[in-house]
């Protein structure tokens, strides 16, 4: 019963969010609370939610100050040169922009940190998406899929968890997976090409319509943005106005620019990223310190500091509130035992005839599991159960570990991933629009990676 309630809870949540019956933050709170009461856990609801909030509080603090820090750097003009280079390379061609998005995310994702990757991507590319009238939903969806594939590197979260929980060598586990992950990356580039060709055709159509109407340039502004959004599954009112100046890093006249401090800001950001990678201090503390220093140097007066904080208040509130709302969802999933029961239910309900294909089954199950669960819950809670079951049928733990990683291309779209909220928050993309557009493509990429894993013998029939 608990397993069925868990599946129903997740299904209803996705339906309400994707159909826009409820705002994501409201759904993250109301749906799990209602199911906790329905399952008879009303007396424990407070403790479960409090535990979830406690576990996510450092993440919320990190996201709050990370958004402020990168927002300040955007305001000061640190990313203007990058944006201008990208503009020069892409010109007015949406195809080059969309293909370049995947390439940029792939390179930056090698650091293993999704939050940093998404902030850099949005800072550099969002103004160009708005300039060309291309929906930011394409950027956020492709960024999630690309980052999820590259995040399987041994120093990334999923591989490290799988290796540690099953006591395996991360390098030995990862290296044979490189061709399969390469196939997934090729698939993302292929999707980007198809979408880019489509957007290029729309851009030319808009240009022709303007010329016919007496204009002479590429369509930009709210009309172009709304049309593109509608065609990619994003609503025209999804909060991505093309005329918004908040992320217009190409506007040379804005008052917040600090061109004389660009080298200081670059050095501060580089030092911060090095500190993040080396882990000299907790991430939240590093961003707190970085934000304080950036404000003092770039905007020394109290009035200027208040203006910068107010400029990014909407993004901070949107992201942090979603993280704390997600704490209700994760708290109920874990506290009621829904996660464990769903895993046990699937294992016990599996026919004996499927056990020779168990590693393939694990690879397929990793797709929904990594979407509906956090990596901690899946790799520390479910994968050991799967590995123990596999061992009873003569399947090595290494094969199960690799199989559990093959479904990762969809993980960054999970409502339980804080970095995804940073991405859609900075891009002003609606969560329902993001899922409606990206999930189908992420499922395709996951299928490609799993098929490649089977072809390469990463998962096999026993």
């Amino acid at each position: 019963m608990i397993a069925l309630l868990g599946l129903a809870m997740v299904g209803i949540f996705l339906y309400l969010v994707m159909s826009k019956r409820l705002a994501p933050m409201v759904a993250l709170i109301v749906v799990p609370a209602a199911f906790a009461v329905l399952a008879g856990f009303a007396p424990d609801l407070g403790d479960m939610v409090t535990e979830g909030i406690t576990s996510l509080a450092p993440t919320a603090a990190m996201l709050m100050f990370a958004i402020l820090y990168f927002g300040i750097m955007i305001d000061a003009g640190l990313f203007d040169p990058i944006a201008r280079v990208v503009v020069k390379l892409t010109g007015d061609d949406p195809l080059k922009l969309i293909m370049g998005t995947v390439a940029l995310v792939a390179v930056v994702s090698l650091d293993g940190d999704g939050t940093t990757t998404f902030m850099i991507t949005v800072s550099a590319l969002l103004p160009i998406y708005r300039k060309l009238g291309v929906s930011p939903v394409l950027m956020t969806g492709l960024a999630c899929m690309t980052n999820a594939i590259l995040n399987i590197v041994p120093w990334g979260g999923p591989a490290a968890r799988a290796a540690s929980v099953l006591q395996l060598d991360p390098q030995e586990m990862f290296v044979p997976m490189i061709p399969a992950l390469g196939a997934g990356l090729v698939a993302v580039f292929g999707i980007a090409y198809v979408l880019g060709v489509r957007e290029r055709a729309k851009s030319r159509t808009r240009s022709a319509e303007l010329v016919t109407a007496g204009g002479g340039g590429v369509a930009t502004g709210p009309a172009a943005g709304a049309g593109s959004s509608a065609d990619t599954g994003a609503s025209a009112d999804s909060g991505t106005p093309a005329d918004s100046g908040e992320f217009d890093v190409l506007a040379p006249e804005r008052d917040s620019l600090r061109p004389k401090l660009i080298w200081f800001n670059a050095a501060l950001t580089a030092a911060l990223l090095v500190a993040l990678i080396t882990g000299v201090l907790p991430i939240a503390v590093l961003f707190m310190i970085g934000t304080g220093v950036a404000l003092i140097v770039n905007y020394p007066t109290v009035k200027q500091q208040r203006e910068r904080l107010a400029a990014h208040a909407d993004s901070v509130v949107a992201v942090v509130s979603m993280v704390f709302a997600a704490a209700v969802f994760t708290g109920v999933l874990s506290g009621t035992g829904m996660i464990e029961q769903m895993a046990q239910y699937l294992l016990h309900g599996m026919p004996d005839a499927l056990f020779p294909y168990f590693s393939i089954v694990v690879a397929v199950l990793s797709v929904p599991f990594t979407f509906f669960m956090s990596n901690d819950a899946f790799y520390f809670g479910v994968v050991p159960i799967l590995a123990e079951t596999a061992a009873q049928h003569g399947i090595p733990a290494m094969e199960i570990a690799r199989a559990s990683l093959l479904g990762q291309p969809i993980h960054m779209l999970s409502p339980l991933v804080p970095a995804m909220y940073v991405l859609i928050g900075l891009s002003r993309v609606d969560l329902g629009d993001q899922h409606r557009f990206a999930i189908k493509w992420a499922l395709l990429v996951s299928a490609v990676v799993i098929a490649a894993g089977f072809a390469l013998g990463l998962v096999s029939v026993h």
Side-chain angles (χ1 to χ4, degrees):
M1 178 61 74
I2 295 296
L4 292 176
L5 285 174
L7 290 171
M9 183 181 86
V10 172
I12 290 174
F13 164 76
L14 288 175
Y15 168 74
L16 291 173
V17 170
M18 295 177 68
S19 63
K20 295 195 173 182
R21 298 293 194 279
L22 286 178
M25 186 190 73
V26 177
L28 283 167
I29 297 171
V30 173
V31 174
F35 271 87
V37 173
L38 183 63
F41 290 91
D44 303 316
L45 180 59
D47 291 337
M48 289 188 290
V49 174
T50 300
E51 185 175 345
I53 291 174
T54 302
S55 65
L56 287 178
T59 299
M62 180 271 292
L63 295 178
M64 173 180 175
F65 286 97
I67 290 172
L68 288 175
Y69 179 83
F70 279 97
I72 292 165
M73 291 297 107
I74 294 167
D75 294 340
L78 175 62
F79 299 104
D80 284 29
I82 299 175
R84 292 192 180 99
V85 169
V86 177
V87 168
K88 185 176 181 180
L89 292 175
T90 61
D92 289 329
D93 189 350
L95 174 59
K96 292 180 181 178
L97 173 62
I98 293 171
M99 295 289 286
T101 299
V102 177
L104 176 63
V105 175
V107 172
V108 183
S109 293
L110 290 174
D111 71 348
D113 180 59
T115 301
T116 304
T117 298
F118 293 153
M119 287 181 173
I120 292 173
T121 301
V122 173
S123 301
L125 299 183
L126 182 59
I128 309 168
Y129 272 82
R130 287 177 172 165
K131 174 180 180 288
L132 298 185
V134 180
S135 172
V137 175
L138 274 71
M139 176 184 68
T140 58
L142 291 168
C144 280
M145 287 183 280
T146 307
N147 180 259
I149 293 174
L150 272 297
N151 198 38
I152 302 177
V153 293
W155 53 91
R161 289 174 174 87
S164 62
V165 76
L166 298 181
Q167 299 181 355
L168 303 171
D169 181 351
Q171 183 177 7
E172 182 183 354
M173 178 183 67
F174 171 74
V175 172
M177 297 184 66
I178 292 176
L181 300 178
L185 194 57
V186 169
V188 177
F189 272 108
I191 293 169
Y193 179 80
V194 171
L195 296 174
V197 169
R198 186 186 303 172
E199 289 298 318
R200 177 191 276 174
K202 293 176 187 174
S203 178
R204 289 174 177 171
T205 300
R206 291 195 297 266
S207 298
E209 290 172 352
L210 282 181
V211 171
T212 301
V218 178
T220 60
S228 181
S229 295
D231 290 327
T232 56
S235 63
D237 60 347
S238 62
T240 55
D243 59 347
S244 170
E246 183 177 349
F247 285 98
D248 188 4
V249 301
L250 300 180
E253 72 283 354
R254 66 189 190 276
D255 295 335
S256 62
L257 274 178
R258 296 294 184 270
K260 294 181 180 180
L261 293 172
I262 189 168
W263 291 112
F264 170 82
N265 289 328
L268 178 62
T269 302
L272 179 60
L273 294 178
V274 170
L276 288 171
I277 295 171
T278 56
V280 295
L281 286 173
I283 296 177
V285 176
L286 289 171
F287 273 117
M288 286 180 179
I289 296 172
T291 300
V293 173
L295 279 172
I296 291 172
V297 175
N298 289 275
Y299 308 102
T301 70
V302 173
K303 181 178 182 294
Q304 290 173 331
Q305 292 169 6
R306 286 176 177 169
E307 288 175 349
R308 289 306 94 213
L309 293 175
H312 302 286
D314 288 348
S315 296
V316 170
V317 171
V319 173
V320 174
S321 62
M322 289 282 279
V323 172
F324 281 123
V328 182
F329 196 87
T330 57
V332 170
L333 272 177
S334 301
T336 59
M338 288 179 178
I339 288 178
E340 294 181 3
Q341 289 298 319
M342 283 189 285
Q344 294 286 358
Y345 178 81
L346 287 171
L347 289 176
H348 291 160
M350 193 170 71
D352 292 340
L354 285 180
F355 279 107
Y357 308 92
F358 189 71
S359 62
I360 301 174
V361 171
V362 170
V364 174
L365 289 178
S366 70
V367 176
F369 277 161
T370 56
F371 182 80
F372 295 134
M373 299 181 187
S374 67
N375 274 338
D376 284 338
F378 178 54
Y379 288 103
F380 293 133
V382 176
V383 169
I385 299 172
L386 298 174
E388 178 62 29
T389 304
Q392 296 173 9
H393 294 81
I395 302 173
M398 182 67 78
E399 187 167 334
I400 296 302
R402 290 169 180 159
S404 71
L405 294 168
L406 295 179
Q408 276 289 317
I410 202 171
H411 174 68
M412 275 296 171
L413 295 170
S414 169
L416 305 180
V417 176
M420 192 264 294
Y421 291 117
V422 174
L423 177 65
I424 65 174
L426 292 177
S427 305
R428 300 293 185 88
V429 167
D430 182 79
L431 180 63
D433 293 336
Q434 164 87 336
H435 282 167
R436 224 178 2 258
F437 163 70
I439 283 180
K440 58 182 179 293
W441 296 116
L443 289 172
L444 174 61
V445 175
S446 296
V448 169
V449 174
I450 292 172
F454 178 74
L456 295 165
L458 302 178
V459 291
S460 57
V461 180
H462 291 266

